[in-house]
Structure formats: structure tokens, C-alpha cells
Amino acid sequence: MDHSALLAAGVDVLSREARYIDERQWDDWLGLYLEDAEFWAPAWRDDDTLTDDVNREISLFYFESRGGLEDRVWRIRSGQAPALTPMPRTAHHVTNALLEDGATAGAMTLHSAWSCHVYSLRDKSQHVFFGRYQHDLVYADSDWRIKRKKIVLMNDYIPGMIDVFCV
Amino acid sequence: MRYSDAADYVIDDPARGEFRVHRDVFSDQDLFEEELKNVFEGTWVFLCLESQIPQPHDFHCARIGRRSVIVSRDGDGAVHCFYNTCRHRGATLCHTERGNRSVHVCDYHGWAYDSGGRNVDIKDRDFGCYRDEFGEENHDLVPVARLDSYRGFIFASLNPDVLSLEEHLGDARTCLDLIVDQGPDGMELVPGRTNYTYDANWKLQLDNGSDPYHLTSTHRSFMRIVHRRAEGKSANTQVESPDFQKRFAMPAGMFTFDRGHSMIWADHPVPENKPLSGTMERVRAHAGEVRAKWMLRTRNTTIFPNLQFNDSTSLVLRTITPLSVDRTEMQVYSFGPIGEPLDLRRRRVRQHEDFFNVSGLATPDDTLCYADCQDGYYNLSGDWLQGFQRGMAAVTHGPNDPARELGIAPATSVLGKYSMQNEMAFHAAYREWVRLMTLGRARDQRLAAE
């Protein structure tokens, strides 16, 4: 596959992920992730540096397998979490995708910018979270799947609630 | 209607077994302005840890209510605290949360101060045609009235007329000891901060931090997820979380202290889940058998008005900063022993992320419930809340057996089963609130008369 075909395949995964979350197709969303996929959003250590050791430092989200995301989806569906009842609406925008050198027909890494508009029906407030993504994708079972996703949240001054569907 | 006396907003009648707080305490704009002056600027407020400014010239910016202050270690190692504002035109000096600077230079006209707050340069002073009298004025940064620390926790008071920090903390010092002594080589903030706001009064967090009653309703989804993990229904195996439902029949209680401090406690259903359990041998040798036992209990500690610890599985340190009557800022850190083995530190980190983080499975449920309460206070004002009564019939005035075991003399104590989920720890804060508000009003009246 040439560079543009790989990039197009990667962007397709990014766009599908955004759509699945915004349209609450949770099983499809989880299906994009390999079972052993890592999902990581480091916290900020100070104004200029992010935490980088998941075992010794705090992350906003760190799941070493898809099980962490599945817990979150269970919670969304439970209807028992005040913060998720009613469920906030979101719209993700993922842009500026760049393919890292060394991509093959079997594995690639994409870097992109994202923003997520969150509308809380509870108090009619809205907020935009934004930052950058790194997606490590592998070709498995005749589709591209997410092996690892790293999320950098630039505005980490958080109005009361943030969850995996807001980033 | 407005009451003329702050004390009228709290009905505190132990003889009749009555304790009520008026809704307006959380929603009245004028009371909030008075609180900033009389509570946050009227007593000792926690700023930061000595370990956050370990080196000469390290500094940390903190808040005392609405005031911004710089806590700075000078070249000789002494700690200072001054208002974060240049003496020249008043510009804010420091814009980063922390760093290391031997000299703070104002962005505006370049006046410079050393790490002890002393003015070391007035730009182009010699050409300035200043009158001689200018040279006689003090140009240093303005220090806070009182600054002291207890076991590495740095506190300041903008009011000079306060007890010593040691007297102010009283026997709540033991509650802090039970935290600090978990680290035979000292304690540290685990890197990675969480800052968040919520749309409600600062006292909602103050109360919630010692509220055992909300767990099974507010955090129902978290508790069910913990069950699912225990039953093998969740593929998430990276975090060890105990089933706190099992605690219901176990012993629990609380202590209140003078000056607003309190601690609730309960036996831990699975103490082996605590990262601390892995280093208990050294901790026992260091702190003694009794204190070691208390460290393995769950304990929520409030140091009035802005510092809280929740030590359930892992240990969290929270500071509370009021932004407006219905908006509050939180800074939250995981807190752990220096030199903690990697497997225990990893467990601590995962437990913190799972529950305490604003991105975790519990905190957003709290913050949105606070906002609901705030809406409720606007919806129906002029009423008295009924949330200060659970445990009223179980209160001991003075120490009980658990207090005597710890060697402390609380103002009130409770001992019972966890299922009581008592609300008695809240009383300490409102008693102190009344005291400080009353003192402040008397001071204002005295000044007005002069």
C-alpha cells in the first residue's frame, strides 16, 4: 500500500471512532480496539510536562486492556451514574492526521489533533476539550484495529466531569 | 429574610439534640463575601507541602480564598510567603504554579525581588529623580501575617490574631500523623495533578469529604463495577478495589475537634488491598502497633477550611478553593510514601485513577450532586437542611474508647457500626464557621466604632 492509501485507511478508523462515540454505538466503538489495546491519557505533571511513567505517575486514563473501556461503557449503560444521567451529547472533530514514517500494510502510527464538544443536558452547559491523539493501528482480522491510543488533553482545568467519551 | 447574626444560620443545641444548617449558608452572596474575609482570611489555611519546594529558590503559588500568594524557599533554606503582587504597580508577579527562581522579576516595569521577597532592583532607579523619602520606604514583597508548618504541611494566616498553628490543629495533629507516618522516609505527592471546578459552594466538598452516607447511592455504579470485577464479569483486572458494602456491619465512628477539624473512620474490609499494607513491617516499627492499626482503617480527615484527605484504598490529598458562592476549584493529588516499591506504587496509582480522579468512576458523580444541591438552595431558600442528624443519638461529648486508644481528646466522638453512616463530623466545620463569622463581625463593629 502506498502512503496515501495507508493514510486514508488510518483516517477512516479515526473518523469511525469519532462517529461511534458521538452516535453512542458503544459495541462498534469497543470493536475498534484489540482486546489487549492500551488506552492512555497522561496527566500534566506541571505547566509544561506530561506524566510519562504509568506505573509511578498519575494518568487521567490508563487502561492496559480494553477491559477498562468496557467498564466505562457498562457504567454509561447502567443508568446509575448521576454524572451520565442524562447522558451528555458530544461531537468529536479529528483533523490534521499525519502518518508516522515506517508504516506498513500491517501496522501504522497516526498523529492527529482533536476537539470534543460536550453538551450537558443536566445544566445546559457546554464545554470543549481539545488536544492531540496518537493511534497505533494494526491490520488484524481483515480490518485496521487500535492497538494503542494516547490522548493528550491540553485544557486540563476540568469543569466537574470528564470521561472516556469526552476525549 | 437575612439574619443579623451569623450564629442564627446554624441551630446548634446539643441539650435538645438539635443541629440544623440554613440553606442560605451555601447560597447567599453577602455571606460568601464575609466568609472570604472572616474564614479564609481569618484563620490558618493550608498552602502546600514543604516537599513541593525542597530546593533553595523553589517556589509554589497558592491561594488563600481569593488571594494569590507565593510560597518561596530562600537561598538559606528558610520558607517565606508573600502576596503575589509587585509593590510598584501591583501586577501579578508569578504566573506558573511552581518553579525555581532566585529572583522574581515583574513583567511590567522590571522591579525584582529575591526568593526571600526582598526588593533587589528598582529598574533605572538612579535616573529616576526619586525624592529621598522614597529610599526610606520599604519596597519588599508584602509577607502574610503568619506562616508555620506542621510535619511538612505549610499553613499561613492573613490574620495575625490567631492561635499558634500547633494549638489551632490541636489533637487533629494525630490525624495528620496517621498520614505522614505512613512514610518512614517521608511522604510525597505522586506526580500528575488534577484540577477541576464544580458549580456549587465550597462547603459541599467540605461536607462530602466526611460523608459516609452518600456512597451507596451516589456511587452505586462504581460499587456495582467493583462487584462485577470480583465476580469475573469485567475484563478489567488492573485495579484492586475492595467491596465496601462488606463494611456495613464493621465498627466505624468519627471525631470532631475544636477549630473545625474532623475525622471519620471505619474498619477496612480488605486491608490487604491498601498499598500501605505492603510496607507495614517498617511502618509498625516506625509508628507503633496502635497507630499502624489506625493507618489501615479507612479515614477521611478534614483540616478546616481547605485541606482534606481520604484514605480508603489509596490516599488522596485535596485542597478546596472557593471561586464564587457557587463555584469551587479543587486540586487533587495522590499521596504516598517516598521510596514505595514499584508494585505498591502501581497499585496506588491505579486505585487513585479508578475512584478519585475527576476522570475516575466516582468524582464526577459527586461534583454533579453538589451542583444539584446548589440549584436546590436557589430553588427553595429560607429553609433548614435535614442533613446533619444521622448519628445524633450516638454522640459522646469528649473522647470515647477509640479516642483514648489513640491518645486524643476530641470535642465529640461517635462509635457504632458503619451502617450508621453518621453525619456528625460536619458539625465541627459549622461550629467553627459560626465562631469565625461572629469574631469577624465583632471586629468589623469595633473598627467601625473607632
Side-chain angles (χ1 to χ4, degrees):
Chain A
M1 286 173 90
D2 66 8
H3 180 276
S4 59
L6 280 172
L7 178 61
V11 167
D12 186 64
V13 174
L14 269 50
S15 301
R16 277 194 286 151
E17 178 174 38
R19 178 185 172 194
Y20 293 153
I21 298 172
D22 294 340
E23 297 191 349
R24 302 182 187 171
Q25 299 177 40
W26 304 119
D27 292 327
D28 293 327
W29 180 47
L30 293 173
L32 288 176
Y33 284 79
L34 294 174
E35 255 177 61
D36 62 350
E38 183 186 277
F39 184 93
W40 180 35
W44 287 90
R45 195 184 288 134
D46 51 41
D47 289 349
D48 300 310
T49 61
L50 292 157
T51 57
D52 57 15
D53 181 346
V54 296
N55 294 319
R56 293 182 190 277
E57 299 181 301
I58 298 296
S59 301
L60 288 172
F61 303 104
Y62 176 73
F63 306 135
E64 60 193 22
S65 79
R66 197 175 65 190
L69 286 179
E70 289 166 359
D71 273 357
R72 299 291 175 136
V73 167
W74 185 90
R75 181 169 134 93
I76 290 168
R77 286 174 163 158
S78 75
Q80 296 182 356
L84 310 182
T85 318
M87 183 65 185
R89 296 179 194 147
T90 61
H92 284 74
H93 304 252
V94 186
T95 65
N96 307 355
L98 290 170
L99 198 56
E100 199 171 285
D101 287 349
T104 67
M108 68 168 123
T109 295
L110 285 155
H111 298 268
S112 58
W114 64 273
S115 63
C116 178
H117 296 250
V118 183
Y119 174 55
S120 165
L121 287 112
R122 214 175 164 95
D123 63 2
K124 310 293 182 283
S125 67
Q126 42 200 317
H127 185 75
V128 183
F129 293 107
F130 53 88
R132 295 196 62 82
Y133 287 149
Q134 177 186 331
H135 283 82
D136 295 349
L137 307 180
V138 294
Y139 197 78
D141 302 329
S142 66
D143 205 355
W144 288 96
R145 312 271 300 279
I146 300 169
K147 168 85 181 146
R148 179 173 183 266
K149 180 179 180 181
K150 181 182 174 187
I151 302 157
V152 173
L153 174 70
M154 300 297 184
N155 54 338
D156 67 328
Y157 190 70
I158 292 158
M161 191 281 292
I162 189 167
D163 208 329
V164 290
F165 60 86
C166 307
V167 296
Chain B
M1 66 163 279
R2 286 186 56 78
Y3 295 105
S4 56
D5 213 334
D8 292 337
Y9 287 92
V10 177
I11 295 172
D12 180 10
D13 190 344
R16 291 179 51 197
E18 205 177 345
F19 197 100
R20 294 180 196 280
V21 176
H22 197 277
R23 287 170 174 242
D24 292 1
V25 163
F26 302 89
S27 55
D28 184 282
Q29 184 64 45
D30 295 334
L31 281 178
F32 176 74
E33 295 296 330
E34 272 187 71
E35 275 178 347
L36 289 179
K37 192 155 62 80
N38 298 334
V39 176
F40 281 86
E41 298 173 16
T43 190
W44 289 100
V45 169
F46 170 71
L47 299 180
C48 66
L49 299 163
E50 283 177 16
S51 59
Q52 286 177 280
I53 48 166
Q55 301 299 326
H57 312 304
D58 278 351
F59 69 88
H60 181 94
C61 285
R63 301 278 291 278
I64 300 178
R66 279 184 187 158
R67 316 282 180 194
S68 167
V69 297
I70 306 172
V71 189
S72 175
R73 193 180 288 278
D74 70 20
D76 298 324
V79 176
H80 303 259
C81 178
F82 18 78
Y83 288 83
N84 185 7
T85 170
C86 180
R87 294 302 300 278
H88 177 233
R89 294 301 304 268
T92 295
L93 258 188
C94 205
H95 302 92
T96 51
E97 187 184 88
R98 63 191 173 99
N100 182 283
R101 275 182 210 156
S102 57
V103 178
H104 293 265
V105 181
C106 181
D107 288 337
Y108 199 7
H109 298 91
W111 285 29
Y113 306 89
D114 70 15
S115 52
R118 207 164 55 89
N119 185 302
V120 291
D121 189 39
I122 288 170
K123 189 181 69 175
D124 299 335
R125 180 176 186 158
D126 294 347
F127 317 117
C129 294
Y130 284 111
R131 282 162 50 89
D132 290 345
E133 289 83 344
F134 183 78
E136 288 153 24
E137 275 181 57
N138 177 296
H139 306 295
D140 300 341
L141 294 178
V142 177
V144 298
R146 302 280 292 273
L147 181 70
D148 202 353
S149 69
Y150 178 73
R151 303 211 59 191
F153 297 98
I154 301 174
F155 292 80
S157 170
L158 299 185
N159 176 8
D161 188 20
V162 288
L163 292 175
S164 71
L165 178 63
E166 202 163 297
E167 290 170 298
H168 168 79
L169 294 172
D171 278 1
R173 281 175 296 171
T174 301
C175 306
L176 290 176
D177 294 343
L178 292 175
I179 290 160
V180 178
D181 289 337
Q182 293 178 24
D185 300 316
M187 295 288 284
E188 64 185 356
L189 296 178
V190 179
R193 67 187 182 195
T194 334
N195 285 15
Y196 59 92
T197 59
Y198 64 79
D199 291 331
N201 190 263
W202 63 278
K203 295 188 290 304
L204 266 302
Q205 171 62 43
L206 200 72
D207 291 347
N208 191 72
S210 50
D211 176 8
Y213 190 35
H214 75 292
L215 185 70
T216 52
S217 41
T218 311
H219 303 308
R220 194 157 47 122
S221 72
F222 173 77
M223 299 187 73
R224 287 203 51 199
I225 285 172
V226 170
H227 272 288
R228 285 171 49 79
R229 289 175 185 162
E231 291 167 358
K233 288 181 183 162
S234 164
N236 183 354
T237 54
Q238 66 180 31
V239 59
E240 295 161 76
S241 19
D243 181 354
F244 278 121
Q245 198 89 37
K246 290 194 180 129
R247 201 162 49 166
F248 255 52
M250 300 178 87
M254 73 94 221
F255 308 122
T256 67
F257 304 93
D258 293 340
R259 312 287 161 179
H261 320 307
S262 64
M263 181 175 102
I264 61 169
W265 63 270
D267 271 7
H268 198 297
V270 195
E272 312 82 81
N273 267 174
K274 281 176 82 85
L276 178 67
S277 66
T279 52
M280 278 317 281
E281 210 169 305
R282 270 195 76 201
V283 171
R284 260 188 213 101
H286 171 74
E289 198 65 46
V290 168
R291 289 197 171 197
K293 180 181 81 178
W294 276 86
M295 286 179 201
L296 285 178
R297 287 182 160 148
T298 68
R299 289 166 289 95
N300 294 17
T301 301
T302 294
I303 302 297
F304 187 86
N306 73 328
L307 174 63
Q308 289 189 318
F309 301 90
N310 185 332
D311 192 352
S312 49
T313 47
S314 63
L315 171 63
V316 61
L317 183 158
R318 298 182 171 116
T319 58
I320 306 168
T321 306
L323 300 177
S324 68
V325 66
D326 55 8
R327 191 151 181 265
T328 305
E329 178 184 309
M330 299 294 302
Q331 290 197 6
V332 174
Y333 276 100
S334 173
F335 199 38
I338 291 171
E340 185 167 43
L342 179 61
D343 57 326
L344 301 174
R345 179 53 58 94
R346 184 197 299 123
R347 188 193 301 178
R348 181 179 299 279
V349 165
R350 291 292 92 81
Q351 288 171 339
H352 181 89
E353 291 161 354
D354 198 44
F355 190 84
F356 293 124
N357 250 3
V358 66
S359 47
L361 293 167
T363 295
D365 292 331
D366 289 318
T367 58
L368 294 204
C369 284
Y370 306 165
D372 276 352
C373 291
Q374 193 71 26
D375 288 345
Y377 306 145
Y378 293 130
N379 186 13
L380 172 65
S381 58
D383 188 32
W384 297 87
L385 295 170
Q386 300 179 1
F388 299 82
Q389 308 282 331
R390 284 185 75 92
M392 205 68 178
V395 172
T396 302
H397 292 275
N400 57 6
D401 286 340
R404 280 185 280 272
E405 182 187 48
L406 267 175
I408 55 174
T412 63
S413 310
V414 165
L415 173 62
K417 288 205 170 67
Y418 183 86
S419 51
M420 188 197 306
Q421 305 162 82
N422 81 84
E423 294 167 339
M424 295 298 101
F426 308 163
H427 294 188
Y430 293 91
R431 286 180 175 138
E432 178 66 357
W433 185 88
V434 166
R435 191 185 73 83
L436 289 169
M437 294 288 270
T438 306
L439 268 178
R441 285 189 178 188
R443 196 165 49 232
D444 287 347
Q445 281 162 8
R446 204 168 56 235
L447 287 172
E450 284 167 16

